Amino acid sequence: MEKKFVNLKPKWLHVKFTLGKNYNNILKLSNTICNSGSCPNIGQCWGKGVATFMILGNICTRSCKFCGIKTGKPQKIDFEEPKKVAHSIKILNIKHAVITSVDRDDLKDMGAIIWVKTIKAIKNLNENLTLETLIPDFKGRKDLINLIINEKPEVISHNIETVRRLTKKVRVQAKYDRSINVLKYIKLKSNIRTKTGIMLGLGETEEEVIQTLKDSKKAKIDIITIGQYLSPSIKHLPVKNFIHPFIFKKYEKIALDMGFLYVESGPLVRSSYNAYKHIL
């Protein structure tokens, strides 16, 4: 018998999309992780003229078990992409943009040069724009991380995604300590705000979540987002449990008490949620 993907969400995870003119314009012009990742806040953010743009194609070389982005052999690099993204942001009058990418472990520079060219093109064409770069781990290579630091985006983010114990299962080719050290290195080498995000509902314990918050604060991370994991399909990891909004509020208070500058914590929170506020 064919297995069917059943998604029995609690009421607090049901969201009504509000789609406006900006939504349709962004959808036509750009490749965004908002759409590829099925973000529940897509209408809200795009309606405000805030969007997350994905570069380096839409096929990832890694096979994380939580992510809805395709994995496999990526397409060739589009060296015109930096200009295309910059022009899209200009046309759409984006006030705050988040740039992210698939992992490109197939490239010698893991896509870092395209990252730099994209940041430069965006800044050259959009004078008053603020920018967050949601980067891959670049396998911890400091020479590549330095290239991003040198471009001085307002925020550099990299998601830990889950607690230490579950990392190997959830992020097959990633390492918990490597992600922490990437963020720690950025703060060591600059005064740029750093940010990370984790998902709940994968089987983590409260103690593990709090320890992840402690590890993040020890790395001097400024901003953290905490959201509910939702399985993209039957091929991905199942949701172990749906976390009640009350628990998210509890973690928000714990994180704020630890001294994080900003904490976004809730069932519908994703890594770019309220991103425009994090530069204030």
Side-chain angles (χ1 to χ4, degrees):
M1 182 181 291
E2 182 182 354
K3 294 174 72 177
K4 293 183 179 180
F5 179 55
V6 180
N7 192 3
L8 301 175
K9 298 178 183 177
K11 60 182 180 180
W12 59 79
L13 281 171
H14 291 273
V15 59
K16 183 178 180 180
F17 286 115
T18 303
L19 309 180
K21 182 179 179 181
N22 265 8
Y23 177 94
N24 292 322
N25 289 339
I26 295 173
L27 189 61
K28 290 176 183 178
L29 280 173
S30 303
N31 181 28
T32 70
I33 188 61
C34 316
N35 190 46
S36 299
S38 303
C39 179
N41 306 305
I42 191 170
Q44 178 184 345
C45 293
W46 287 10
K48 294 178 180 177
V50 179
T52 301
F53 298 84
M54 188 166 68
I55 61 174
L56 292 164
N58 56 9
I59 300 177
C60 189
T61 54
R62 299 190 185 181
S63 52
C64 297
K65 300 303 181 183
F66 72 92
C67 185
I69 295 174
K70 294 179 182 178
T71 184
K73 184 178 180 181
Q75 299 170 340
K76 292 183 179 179
I77 295 296
D78 178 5
F79 288 98
E80 294 299 310
E81 185 175 48
K83 291 181 181 178
K84 292 176 183 176
V85 173
H87 279 287
S88 293
I89 290 172
K90 181 73 171 180
I91 292 169
L92 294 165
N93 193 30
I94 297 295
K95 299 177 180 64
H96 180 76
V98 181
I99 309 301
T100 191
S101 76
V102 293
D103 283 281
R104 291 301 302 261
D105 296 336
D106 59 313
L107 304 174
K108 288 183 179 180
D109 72 341
M110 300 182 198
I113 298 303
I114 292 296
W115 265 100
V116 170
K117 289 181 179 295
T118 301
I119 296 169
K120 287 182 181 294
I122 290 170
K123 286 191 170 185
N124 287 339
L125 201 60
N126 301 274
E127 185 177 351
N128 296 319
L129 179 91
T130 53
L131 189 62
E132 175 184 331
T133 52
L134 175 51
I135 63 172
D137 62 21
F138 294 117
K139 290 190 175 180
R141 282 181 52 183
K142 294 177 180 179
D143 58 324
L144 301 182
I145 299 168
N146 284 335
L147 294 177
I148 308 298
I149 292 172
N150 292 341
E151 295 307 313
K152 298 179 180 178
E154 279 72 22
V155 178
I156 300 180
S157 54
H158 171 67
N159 288 334
I160 300 168
E161 305 290 9
T162 190
V163 299
R164 182 187 296 276
R165 176 176 59 87
L166 296 175
T167 295
K168 188 174 182 180
K169 181 179 180 181
V170 176
R171 307 167 66 209
V172 182
Q173 295 100 324
K175 297 178 181 179
Y176 182 88
D177 286 318
R178 183 164 69 192
S179 288
I180 289 285
N181 287 333
V182 164
L183 291 155
K184 185 177 181 180
Y185 179 76
I186 293 166
K187 185 57 72 173
L188 179 67
K189 292 296 181 178
S190 73
N191 60 358
I192 297 171
R193 287 188 180 177
T194 53
K195 175 179 171 182
T196 195
I198 60 173
M199 305 171 291
L200 305 185
L202 286 158
E204 68 289 326
T205 66
E206 180 175 313
E207 291 76 14
E208 288 175 321
V209 174
I210 293 173
Q211 185 58 55
T212 303
L213 294 176
K214 289 179 179 178
D215 293 341
S216 299
K217 194 67 189 74
K218 189 175 180 180
K220 298 185 178 180
I221 295 170
D222 298 299
I223 306 155
I224 191 161
T225 63
I226 310 170
Q228 170 72 52
Y229 168 64
L230 296 175
S231 182
S233 77
I234 197 170
K235 296 179 181 178
H236 294 81
L237 289 172
V239 176
K240 292 288 185 180
N241 54 329
F242 291 107
I243 311 302
H244 194 278
F246 174 81
I247 302 300
F248 280 103
K249 283 296 180 183
K250 178 180 179 179
Y251 289 137
E252 179 180 2
K253 184 180 186 308
I254 290 171
L256 287 172
D257 288 345
M258 286 183 183
F260 285 95
L261 187 60
Y262 289 100
V263 180
E264 304 289 350
S265 182
L268 296 175
V269 167
R270 297 297 179 263
S271 60
S272 298
Y273 184 69
N274 280 340
Y276 64 97
K277 294 182 179 180
H278 301 157
I279 53 99
L280 302 176

